[in-house]
Amino acid sequence: MRILKTVKEYGSTTISISAVTLDTQTVKGLGDVVSYHIETDLTTVGGTGTELADGGTPSGSYKGATVARLFRRIKLSDNNNTDLAVLEKDDIWRMAYLLSLVNADDFLFNRGISSEPTTSTGDETNLVNHFIIPQSIGVADLPATLEIELGTLSDFYGTVGTGTAVINTLSVIVRYVPAKASAITLRIKAFNIQAFSADTDIAHLLPDGIKIHILAYMAGNANASSVPSEMVNTRVDRLSFRRGSNEEIENIRRTMIDEYINVRYDGTRLLGLTVIPTDAFEKTDSSKFEFDVNAQIAPRIFYVYQ
């Protein structure tokens, strides 16, 4: 039996100058989780406010005013209070995409899904957005805990002025399938790296002791409150990557890696996001993840792991 279960339907929340933490919820152990789904209904009135605009290179890799930016944090923890996912702002749909690239058991979606929201450039009335996060969680790691913190008006507006925003409804549902002994639990995180402008190997910054399924990066922090100067993917000329000591990706043009991912996942690669085409691995002292750059970048690194 496959189950679609409502975790919570939150009432109306007015976004203000202070963050709001919603009631903590429990994701029950009704089987193996294969996805969770967040639906929002947003109304905004700009007034004298100015909505954040898209930016970056390629244009739109930095997303402006969307409801995703109003999620200061979504944290999902397992029954040992260990992180399953920590998402903030536009990480929501980027992480959903990265999770979809893993060919997990009982996977119910095409690989390379995208639920990127449309940027608001004016007032919105009951604008509905859907974020489907295809994350596999084995029943042994359930029940899980879901925490949601909503942000402030300055997360949506570059200049707030008299701008307003109300999330009229916020619903969370979970999709379960029958538990299997072979089920895996996927976890996902992201972190920012201090800016550098010379060719740099960052493999030592990857965590030890975990199995990394998907590794990706953006040239700058796309969750910043304004467009970072480093959000220019053409500043990375070439990449080198090795799981261990054997030759794997050696000084390959970033453009060619991006095009490979485009073709592999039917043109669904997200703007400004480079996915490293490698198999699952555990980092060792011989691992390598080197950027050949022509100008300063400050990458945000994403990894799906178990």
Side-chain angles (χ1 to χ4, degrees):
M1 177 183 293
R2 301 182 186 274
I3 300 171
L4 203 56
K5 175 72 173 176
T6 297
V7 175
K8 179 69 175 180
E9 291 194 358
Y10 295 94
S12 176
T13 303
T14 298
I15 305 301
S16 67
I17 60 173
S18 300
V20 176
T21 300
L22 303 181
D23 294 339
T24 299
Q25 302 299 317
T26 299
V27 178
K28 297 180 178 180
L30 304 179
D32 295 332
V33 169
V34 290
S35 68
Y36 51 101
H37 182 171
I38 300 170
E39 179 188 273
T40 59
D41 180 303
L42 176 69
T43 294
T44 66
V45 178
T48 61
T50 304
E51 292 85 357
L52 283 169
D54 287 352
T57 301
S59 179
S61 55
Y62 177 90
K63 291 291 289 184
T66 76
V67 71
R69 296 196 66 87
L70 294 175
F71 285 89
R72 181 68 59 87
R73 187 184 69 156
I74 299 175
K75 183 178 180 181
L76 194 62
S77 306
D78 67 16
N79 52 18
N80 287 315
N81 201 33
T82 302
D83 293 344
L84 290 162
V86 181
L87 306 88
E88 59 180 276
K89 299 184 178 181
D90 287 336
D91 283 351
I92 297 173
W93 45 273
R94 290 192 179 97
M95 287 183 168
Y97 168 80
L98 293 171
L99 283 160
S100 79
L101 302 185
V102 182
N103 189 17
D105 289 341
D106 284 311
F107 196 58
L108 302 182
F109 301 91
N110 293 326
R111 297 172 73 183
I113 68 167
S114 174
S115 53
E116 179 177 349
T118 301
T119 305
S120 297
T121 57
D123 294 354
E124 302 288 359
T125 302
N126 299 116
L127 175 66
V128 175
N129 276 282
H130 293 268
F131 303 102
I132 298 175
I133 297 95
Q135 183 168 5
S136 300
I137 307 171
V139 69
D141 290 307
L142 300 174
T145 301
L146 175 66
E147 303 171 59
I148 296 177
E149 181 183 4
L150 299 177
T152 66
L153 289 169
S154 60
D155 292 319
F156 189 89
Y157 294 102
T159 302
V160 174
T162 60
T164 64
V166 178
I167 297 180
N168 303 302
T169 60
L170 169 57
S171 303
V172 182
I173 62 174
V174 172
R175 179 70 161 169
Y176 298 90
V177 297
K180 294 174 62 175
S182 58
I184 65 171
T185 293
L186 294 177
R187 304 170 191 267
I188 187 163
K189 282 187 177 179
F191 63 94
N192 299 319
I193 292 178
Q194 186 174 354
F196 57 86
S197 55
D199 298 352
T200 301
D201 183 357
I202 66 158
H204 65 285
L205 298 176
L206 298 176
D208 296 314
I210 60 174
K211 183 178 183 180
I212 297 177
H213 288 267
I214 300 292
L215 181 64
Y217 79 90
M218 299 187 75
N221 179 13
N223 291 326
S225 58
S226 60
V227 184
S229 61
E230 295 87 4
M231 279 291 296
V232 182
N233 71 338
T234 56
R235 292 185 177 189
V236 179
D237 288 327
R238 296 173 181 269
L239 290 162
S240 297
F241 176 81
R242 301 177 198 163
R243 288 170 291 167
S245 57
N246 293 331
E247 191 172 282
E248 189 163 351
I249 298 171
E250 294 295 330
N251 203 31
I252 303 299
R253 291 185 183 275
R254 175 202 48 81
T255 52
M256 299 178 76
I257 291 174
D258 286 346
E259 181 59 20
Y260 172 79
I261 295 297
N262 275 330
V263 173
R264 182 176 181 182
Y265 299 113
D266 196 25
T268 61
R269 185 181 63 84
L270 304 182
L271 288 174
L273 180 71
T274 293
V275 180
I276 306 304
T278 184
D279 294 330
F281 70 99
E282 291 188 20
K283 189 197 78 177
T284 70
D285 291 341
S286 299
S287 296
K288 182 179 184 180
F289 188 14
E290 183 171 306
F291 292 77
D292 179 346
V293 300
N294 59 62
Q296 179 172 290
I297 63 171
R300 183 162 177 81
I301 308 297
F302 300 84
Y303 59 102
V304 179
Y305 66 103
Q306 71 178 104

